Amino acid sequence: MKTTEGTLHEKSISISYNPTITKDDKKRDVAKFTEGWELTQLEWDKEILTEFVRSQSYICAKLKDGYRNKYNVEEVFHIVLDIDNKDRQNPITLDAFIKIARKWKFSWFLHTTTSHQKKIITDKGEELEPVDKFRVLIPLSKTVTRDFLVNEVKNHFVKHYSFIDDKSSFEGERYYFVSKNAETEIHSFVGSTGGLVFFNPDNIDKVASASSINKKSKTFNLDLSVTLGDGKTTKKISDINEKTTIFCPFCIHDDAHRSSPDAHNAFIDINPLGHYYIYCSSEAKTYWQSGQEIKPEKTKLFWNTTEGCVTAIDYKTKKDPHTIYSFKNNTDFRNYCHANQIDPNITERLPRREIIFDPRERSGLAEIFYNVFEESEYLVKYGKEFQIKISLQSVNDELEKRCPVISELLSNIFGSPDYVMRFINWNAYILQTRGKAFTAWLVSTPEQGIGKDFMFNFILRPIYGQSQSQLLNGQRIADKFNIRDLRCWLRGYNEVFSSESKQQNHSRKEKLKDNITSVEQTLEPKGIDTFQADNFVNFILFSNNSMPIYLDAKDRRFNVIVNHEAKKVKDLSFYKDDNELVKSVKSELDGFAEILFSLDYSAELANQSIDNEAKRKLIKITANDYEKFTEALKNRDADYFMLDEVFRVADSQRFLIDKSVYAIEAEDKISNHGMIPANCMNDIVRFHFPQRGYKLTLEKLKTHNLAVKTFNIGGARLKGWYCVE
């Protein structure tokens, strides 16, 4: 549940119910339904909520795998006050409660239970007068753990309201039986901003300063004030964010344990779970924060809901260079806990977070996700709105002026100044929008060593971020979207062409097409449920092959660059040696990044592929026979079909003609109407595809936009084949 206020129309609540339970089931039977609880959303509306409690049993928490027990409570959405009026000498009436609760500055929903105003016969045969029995559902502005509900929340409400006589309602796994005839009441409290207000668990009373130490167990909570190492300054523990020397609050008045009472003798720190602890050197003893609260921004562990396991932050290994590490098994996790003085049974108390990679969101641990995207130093420095923009028309001049080495290197790779401009525009669009372009670059050149890899590794990667931009071999184009793709913003592939398999080249083309244009991909990690992930990968492909990748006739994704004038980097004017080149480029990166982030980019150009001779030539070279056939028909190119050869006649002299009547008819219909008459199609297809069956060939041609229909030509109806535009 979100912590922010929402309008009355926008606010909704989360709640679990079991669709297999009906309102006609007996209460004793419902207790047996431990499985099948599902999460649903309900609008904060009296009629909707009333219908729900009259027809459904419910639980106010999210349950792992829908299984109801206290260990499976992942997060709690609501407080429930269960008013049974067991003290019949001093019952609180429904009206009296509503009068009290109307003063609360948060929203609630009330409904009577099945035993409301019912007479009860005791075991001794005594008849008890009916009393009001009802429940109050209080939505939370943010979720809490079961332990927090059982301890802090329960203590708060029981302390303030003596009429709460069923304390089991503070157990997150507790189910509430359907109330078919429930009377209901709703209190929608609106805050100062005009939004609906739910109860904020942060406002729960805590024991103040002096009693913030539990004398019996020697624990403390975050409201405890301590004296810092200077002996003068005091601070609440909640305001301390790093390891800090202090005077131990447990032995400060116990001089028998203090060799130097005027000197600090302890420090306070936060463990990887986000729990504070105090180590007292006078006693050689550690004291721990009480309760189940953690400081989320300081925690190094969280429950990874995407992968269903504990994940550590800033726990790097050789195999996993990223900033998070998902523990592979229970032994792996327990070893970590032992090394860091953590109780391995803390998984129930860990914050629940989804793993995402999103350049548009804040990096690291947030309220509902952990974002593995990392801002590079250039994104931090220049990733802001520039008041003065560089125009596309002047970008090459600015590049040459500010970054002469990078300018010459890019010109050597791309050749035309227009292509350099388009490439810079493409990168500027991605970096400024923090998103994805729907085109990719294919740079092919017969000359090796022109600086393609250098450009990717030393110019682009530092700006996009080292860990989220990768240059891989073309063989690594995976069949499926994988974890590496999930954490990638810029992907380079070297030599995408396969000399071994024509089918593999087609497969790579289709995979790349899908990855370039799709905004989501399906991820299927080993041993983990399949899930959908956002696709932010942008592609640059490199090759020294004259036919690096197969392209469709109507391709709209690839910018194809072939620069036959490209030189080796060592032959460029600035080159002295490799070390000097790296130093020169590093010195220019600030200027280059500023150009990218201040360019007045064109989104249309960034997402529109370049139509040039190199691309047309590649399409022509890589077009298969089916594509060539349909393309010739679409272009009304009768010569392509070699009709004289198709309809050769031995006795053409007898008819005093040079061509068969079928050839004449087919040529006329192709040239003037873009169609092949049906009575000519069999001969034409069998001539051009002699090794394939006629029906199979037609099916293949249909996949390349060939279709059949009846034409009206000169008042006569004629069935024929044509190419759908």
Side-chain angles (χ1 to χ4, degrees), residues 66-327:
Y67 192 88
R68 182 173 67 84
N69 65 39
K70 67 179 182 179
Y71 303 107
N72 279 23
V73 176
E74 291 190 341
E75 52 186 348
V76 181
F77 304 113
H78 318 289
I79 301 166
V80 176
L81 308 181
D82 206 6
I83 315 298
D84 284 336
N85 275 318
K86 295 176 182 178
D87 181 3
R88 291 176 177 267
Q89 300 300 318
N90 299 290
I92 182 169
T93 66
L94 196 60
D95 291 337
F97 173 85
I98 291 173
K99 186 175 181 180
I100 294 171
R102 287 288 183 199
K103 298 178 182 179
W104 291 348
K105 295 183 179 181
F106 51 84
S107 303
W108 48 261
F109 174 76
L110 176 151
H111 70 86
T112 57
T113 65
T114 54
S115 55
H116 173 65
Q117 281 297 319
K118 285 188 176 180
K119 291 183 180 180
I120 296 177
I121 306 297
T122 68
D123 294 338
K124 298 179 180 180
E126 298 175 349
E127 182 176 306
L128 301 179
E129 286 296 315
V131 293
D132 291 343
K133 294 194 175 187
F134 51 94
R135 295 192 187 101
V136 186
L137 189 148
I138 302 173
L140 297 169
S141 64
K142 64 179 182 181
T143 59
V144 297
T145 64
R146 181 189 187 275
D147 289 333
F148 187 81
L149 182 73
V150 170
N151 296 316
E152 309 292 340
V153 176
K154 181 173 74 173
N155 292 340
H156 170 85
F157 278 90
V158 171
K159 173 184 174 182
H160 286 83
Y161 306 105
S162 59
F163 50 75
I164 300 174
D165 49 11
D166 187 351
K167 299 177 180 59
S168 67
S169 65
F170 293 92
E171 297 169 358
E173 72 278 12
R174 165 88 180 267
Y175 83 91
Y176 299 98
F177 188 62
V178 60
S179 302
K180 291 188 284 188
N181 301 308
E183 300 172 23
T184 62
E185 189 66 38
I186 196 168
H187 175 58
S188 299
F189 184 78
V190 179
S192 58
T193 61
L196 191 64
V197 177
F198 287 170
F199 184 84
N200 186 350
D202 292 339
N203 294 335
I204 287 177
D205 292 346
K206 293 198 171 84
V207 185
S209 187
S211 55
S212 289
I213 299 176
N214 184 325
K215 298 297 183 182
K216 186 176 181 180
S217 63
K218 291 287 184 80
T219 59
F220 58 90
N221 66 41
L222 300 186
D223 272 346
L224 174 64
S225 291
V226 294
T227 302
L228 303 188
D230 61 7
K232 300 175 183 178
T233 309
T234 60
K235 260 188 179 183
K236 277 189 176 183
I237 289 177
S238 58
D239 295 329
I240 297 174
N241 292 311
E242 58 189 357
K243 186 175 181 179
T244 305
T245 56
I246 62 171
F247 284 79
C248 176
F250 295 96
C251 67
I252 188 126
H253 301 298
D254 188 358
D255 291 345
H257 291 88
R258 305 278 322 272
S259 57
S260 302
D262 295 329
H264 60 76
N265 67 324
F267 67 83
I268 187 166
D269 203 355
I270 309 172
N271 77 346
L273 177 59
H275 277 147
Y276 285 84
Y277 65 94
I278 293 173
Y279 177 76
C280 174
S281 58
S282 299
E283 300 176 295
K285 189 172 182 179
T286 301
Y287 299 92
W288 292 90
Q289 171 192 342
S290 62
Q292 310 303 332
E293 289 185 348
I294 62 166
K295 200 155 190 175
E297 67 271 20
K298 288 295 181 180
T299 184
K300 297 294 189 298
L301 297 173
F302 64 95
W303 183 262
N304 179 342
T305 60
T306 303
E307 299 180 3
C309 59
V310 179
T311 294
I313 304 170
D314 296 331
Y315 182 60
K316 300 181 181 180
T317 68
K318 292 181 180 179
K319 292 183 178 180
D320 189 347
H322 297 287
T323 57
I324 65 168
Y325 175 78
S326 295
F327 293 98

Side-chain angles (χ1 to χ4, degrees), residues 51 59 150 240 264 496 533 573 699:
E51 175 59 25
I59 294 174
V150 170
I240 297 174
H264 60 76
V496 293
S573 66
E699 291 303 315

Side-chain angles (χ1 to χ4, degrees), residues 495-502 504-505 508 548 550:
E495 203 50 75
V496 293
F497 180 76
S498 172
S499 60
E500 300 175 357
S501 170
K502 185 175 181 179
Q504 190 176 55
N505 286 323
R508 289 181 180 181
Y550 293 163

Side-chain angles (χ1 to χ4, degrees), residues 2 54 64 72 78 85 181 189 206 226 352 405 445 474 529 642 666 701 723:
K2 297 185 182 300
R54 287 178 179 175
K64 182 180 179 181
N72 279 23
H78 318 289
N85 275 318
N181 301 308
F189 184 78
K206 293 198 171 84
V226 294
R352 262 56 182 168
V405 173
T445 174
D529 290 341
M642 302 174 68
L701 288 169
C723 185

Side-chain angles (χ1 to χ4, degrees), residues 621-634:
I621 293 173
T622 60
N624 61 39
D625 293 339
Y626 302 108
E627 290 173 345
K628 293 175 182 177
F629 189 96
T630 54
E631 190 70 13
L633 183 57
K634 184 183 72 172

